Amino acid sequence: MPSHFKLVVTICCVGSAAACFACAALIDDRPELLVIANPTAFDLGTVPAEDVRSCEISLINRGTLAVKLANKASSCGCTDVTVSTQTLPPGEKAILSAKVKTGAKPGEWTHTVAVDFVNDRGNRHCVVSVPIRLRVEPAGQVVQSSPE
C-alpha cells in the first residue's frame, strides 16, 4: 500500500457537553466513508415501567462514496432497530428508528444501537453507535417528565 494512503477506522471527538461519533476511511486525505449520527446520544427521560418509547436518529453520509447497510444491532433484546434505507448515497440522510421496551425493573439504563455500513466494494466498514438513555420508574409511580 502506498505510504500516502491512510486508513482511520473510528473517530470519536468528545466535547464538553456532547460527543461526536463517526467513522471514516481516508484515501489521499479525502473521506471515502464518513457516516455521522445526529443526535449523537438520545435521552428518553423518565418513563414508566412496562412501557414502549421510540426515538429517531439521523444518519448522514458525509463521505464521497455510497454506503450499504451491512448490519444493525442493539445492546439489549428489548430494543428494536430499523433503518429507513439499505443504501445511503453521499450527502443523503437515513433515519435510524429505535423502539425501547421498558421492563419492570426501575433504574437508569443505557441501551446502545449500532449500524454497520460497508462501501460498494465490501472491503471497508463504518460502524456508528448511539447510546439511548432512560430512567424507569417503578410500577404505580407517577412519571414527572417524559420528553417527546
Side-chain angles (χ1 to χ4, degrees), residues 44-114:
L44 291 171
T46 303
V47 299
E50 305 294 340
D51 197 13
V52 177
R53 295 295 165 104
S54 299
C55 65
E56 290 187 344
I57 298 156
S58 296
L59 301 171
I60 306 155
N61 183 354
R62 300 272 192 215
T64 59
L65 295 178
V67 294
K68 294 179 183 178
L69 181 66
N71 194 15
K72 59 187 179 352
S74 67
S75 61
C76 175
C78 62
T79 305
D80 294 324
V81 180
T82 59
V83 179
S84 64
T85 186
Q86 294 294 309
T87 302
L88 191 55
E92 295 295 314
K93 175 175 81 170
I95 300 297
L96 180 152
S97 299
K99 187 184 297 184
V100 179
K101 298 173 213 143
T102 64
K105 189 173 180 181
E108 294 194 18
W109 301 92
T110 300
H111 302 274
T112 301
V113 294

